[in-house]
Amino acid sequence: EVRLLAALNHKNILPLKNADIIDGHFVVTMPLGEQSLADRLRYRMSSKLALSYAEQLLAGLAHAHEHRIVHCDIKPENLILFEEGRLTLTDFGIAKVCLRTIQGSGSGTVGHMAPEQAMGKPSYRSDVFSAGLVLCRLFGGEWPEWPFDWPTPGYARMKAKYHADLISIVRKAIEVEPKKRFADASKMLAAFQRAKRHALRI
């Protein structure tokens, strides 16, 4: 994880402050955030703030993908919030570095990972899927569950608040068939930023 983090330098990825052996123990030091996104989701959130968190998640993940790193465990608990609404992606402990193909052991969090990742085949598209689930929760207020049929729980709320172009991005991200999703977070981020200009209905 230390080697992976050392290769990443982005405002939406939790930075590594220090890593050293102290009294025979390997100690890693990182900035202390205010709370996780999982904690924040317990309370009401404005649509504008939800959009901001979504964009920051995709920006950090896109940076990791540009460095050929698949995170493998995107979930609200691994998104740390700081002052002034800054969101950072953390916990690269089971991340994979992509070469041509990668194989995993199915590592990740049940209910947050793509179906193919659970079968030991993580990829950029798997991270896109997990990010899409987070966006579903941010925009719709409910967490989708297997078999991830559309419309997902919370769709009515999503439709009432957000433009169809933004919703189509969420839907594409959580397609069960990997080839139907965005190829990576960079492409998803670009689509999101285009749709964000007219994302809100109110």
Side-chain angles (χ1 to χ4, degrees):
E1 180 172 5
V2 168
R3 292 191 182 98
L4 289 172
L5 280 176
L8 302 176
N9 181 18
H10 192 276
K11 65 180 181 179
N12 297 122
I13 293 178
L14 192 68
L16 177 69
K17 296 184 70 174
N18 189 37
D20 205 349
I21 303 294
I22 301 176
D23 295 332
H25 298 282
F26 185 57
V27 179
V28 177
T29 307
M30 297 178 177
L32 181 64
E34 294 184 332
Q35 61 184 333
S36 71
L37 181 61
D39 296 326
R40 181 62 183 83
L41 285 170
R42 296 172 185 170
Y43 308 98
R44 294 187 66 178
M45 183 184 302
S46 71
S47 298
K48 288 184 178 180
L49 184 58
L51 284 170
S52 174
Y53 285 157
E55 184 172 15
Q56 291 183 73
L57 161 58
L58 295 178
L61 186 58
H63 183 74
H65 286 183
E66 287 162 7
H67 285 74
R68 303 199 305 180
I69 294 173
V70 180
H71 187 280
C72 296
D73 200 18
I74 303 294
K75 59 183 179 180
E77 290 81 0
N78 286 339
L79 300 169
I80 306 301
L81 306 179
F82 287 81
E83 294 180 354
E84 300 179 353
R86 183 167 66 94
L87 176 147
T88 62
L89 176 59
T90 188
D91 195 0
F92 283 78
I94 58 173
K96 309 288 183 182
V97 178
C98 289
L99 296 175
R100 294 184 179 177
T101 60
I102 59 176
Q103 291 185 341
S105 61
S107 297
T109 302
V110 175
H112 295 77
M113 71 174 96
E116 74 278 2
Q117 183 179 336
M119 299 299 291
K121 297 179 180 180
S123 68
Y124 298 134
R125 295 176 192 266
S126 306
D127 279 352
V128 163
F129 183 90
S130 297
L133 293 181
V134 175
L135 267 57
C136 276
R137 176 63 181 84
L138 280 169
F139 301 151
E142 296 186 50
W143 193 267
E145 296 181 353
W146 176 263
F148 305 112
D149 290 331
W150 191 268
T152 60
Y155 172 74
R157 176 178 172 181
M158 199 183 306
K159 185 178 179 181
K161 291 187 173 185
Y162 299 97
H163 192 278
D165 288 351
L166 186 74
I167 296 173
S168 69
I169 291 171
V170 177
R171 181 175 185 176
K172 182 174 181 177
I174 63 168
E175 287 280 1
V176 172
E177 173 57 48
K179 291 182 179 179
K180 293 182 179 180
R181 300 177 209 145
F182 296 97
D184 56 37
S186 296
K187 291 182 172 56
M188 185 174 177
L189 174 62
F192 181 91
Q193 290 175 331
R194 289 192 298 270
K196 189 185 73 167
R197 300 167 191 164
H198 53 269
L200 297 178
R201 287 190 175 277
I202 54 176

